Each structure stands twice: as structure tokens, then as C-alpha cells.
Amino acid sequence: KWYQDRLQEILPVEYQHLVFALPETVSELARHNGPLIYGLLFAAASQALLHVARTWTPLQVDTGFIAVLHTWGQELFLHVHAHILWPAGGLSLDGTSWRSLPPGFCLPKGWLRDEFRERFLDGLQRAYDRGELVLRDRHGYLLAPAAFARWMAGLRTCYWNLHAEPVDVGREDLTRAEAARRTLGYLA
């Protein structure tokens, strides 16, 4: 049903598949903080995508997307990430026309990754400051504010994985709509 409902939302445009992944140590926080971590993941990914699409000079659009949470990797280990099916464009800021990226182009991944990381970590810091973050087992030592500050500083400088590519890259036998449906089927 979810898949059938989302099919009705697919536009006749090029799509890109984005994956925003949390580092392993942050993914592990979801064991005791699932709703908090998942909420931060969706908020940070969506805010980053909306901000970059709106402010990146070659595009400057208001956009939308379909996002899906995955909590496990292909080998069934904890790996929290969000898949996003994005229409590679949006409405011009004045709302008068559709503006797309040229085929094969992606948003600036470095900027998008940095925006995502900073928004997620800012939200995580706020949750810690409010006492909402459950820290136990491997993360129990982070109850000490100095330890948490050092851990966060490391997360602000480490690599966060962001995958971005046109849907079904290399499948020239598929139409735009078929490629979007195929990726949406994977997400479902």
C-alpha cells in the first residue's frame, strides 16, 4: 500500500538516490534512543537537503522528496541510515517554473554532507543538554560532560558517509519513470 501510494507521487523528471548514513558509534546510540536518533536523522537530512537545494546558486529551488529509514545493513548489522528519493530539482523560488539539475549532475556532496553532520550533531547536543539522551553500555562514559564534548568534537571532524547518484545509474534501458519506480520498490 505504501509503495502504491508513493507511486502516485512520482513526477516525470530525473531522480537521484541519496543515502545519509550515521557513523557506527552514533548508530549504536539508537539501541537505547531509537525515536530520538531516527528523528534527528530525518530532521538533519531533510533540513540539509532543503537548505542546499534552496541556496546553491545553480539550482535555488524549493524541493520535496521521499525518505525511508533503514536501521540494518545488508549483512544485518546495526547501520542507521536514511534513503531519499529526490526529484533532482524543484520549483523556482518564485514558484513559477520547475528547475532541474542537468542529467548526471548531483548536488555538492561535500556541502550537503557538512550540513547534515552539523544539523544532526547540533540536535544531539541539545538532546544531551536536556538530559534526553540515554547513555549506557559502550557509551556510558559519555555521561561526563567533558567526555561527551571530546566525543562530539571527534564526530564533527570525522567522515560521514553520503551516497548520491542518479537512480539506476548505468541502466539506459529504463525510462525515467521506470528507474524511479525501481528505486522506490527497493525502498519499500
Side-chain angles (χ1 to χ4, degrees):
K1 174 142 177 46
W2 180 89
Y3 173 72
Q4 292 300 322
D5 290 346
R6 298 298 74 76
L7 280 177
Q8 302 306 310
E9 299 168 352
I10 297 294
L11 302 172
V13 299
E14 297 288 335
Y15 274 84
Q16 291 192 2
H17 181 193
L18 310 174
V19 182
F20 292 83
L22 297 179
E24 180 182 356
T25 186
V26 179
S27 281
E28 289 174 354
L29 286 176
R31 291 188 194 277
H32 303 295
N33 300 278
L36 173 69
I37 297 301
Y38 305 148
L40 287 174
L41 171 63
F42 276 110
S46 62
Q47 291 167 6
L49 178 55
L50 293 172
H51 173 74
V52 172
R54 191 170 225 288
T55 58
W56 186 44
T57 303
L59 195 55
Q60 294 184 324
V61 296
D62 286 321
T63 192
F65 49 86
I66 297 170
V68 176
L69 172 68
H70 283 189
T71 57
W72 299 93
Q74 292 178 353
E75 297 176 13
L76 298 181
F77 57 90
L78 184 64
H79 174 56
V80 178
H81 56 288
H83 288 266
I84 291 181
L85 185 60
W86 177 61
L91 290 176
S92 59
L93 296 180
D94 64 8
T96 61
S97 62
W98 180 266
R99 190 176 297 157
S100 294
L101 287 179
F105 271 70
C106 288
L107 289 173
K109 281 177 57 173
W111 183 18
L112 188 57
R113 179 185 305 114
D114 291 349
E115 288 287 334
F116 167 63
R117 179 185 57 225
E118 292 309 308
R119 290 166 191 267
F120 184 91
L121 292 176
D122 288 349
L124 192 63
Q125 182 68 56
R126 285 190 299 276
Y128 180 83
D129 293 344
R130 291 189 303 256
E132 298 171 352
L133 191 57
V134 176
L135 298 167
R136 56 171 80 141
D137 302 331
R138 177 180 172 194
H139 294 95
Y141 77 100
L142 297 174
L143 288 168
F148 188 79
R150 282 191 302 277
W151 183 72
M152 289 287 283
L155 288 173
R156 288 191 189 280
T157 60
C158 76
Y159 181 79
W160 287 49
N161 191 25
L162 170 67
H163 176 79
E165 69 180 10
V167 294
D168 283 312
V169 66
R171 292 287 312 267
E172 293 153 12
D173 59 318
L174 298 177
T175 66
R176 293 187 300 197
E178 290 168 335
R181 282 194 300 272
R182 182 180 168 103
T183 301
L184 189 61
Y186 168 74
L187 299 184

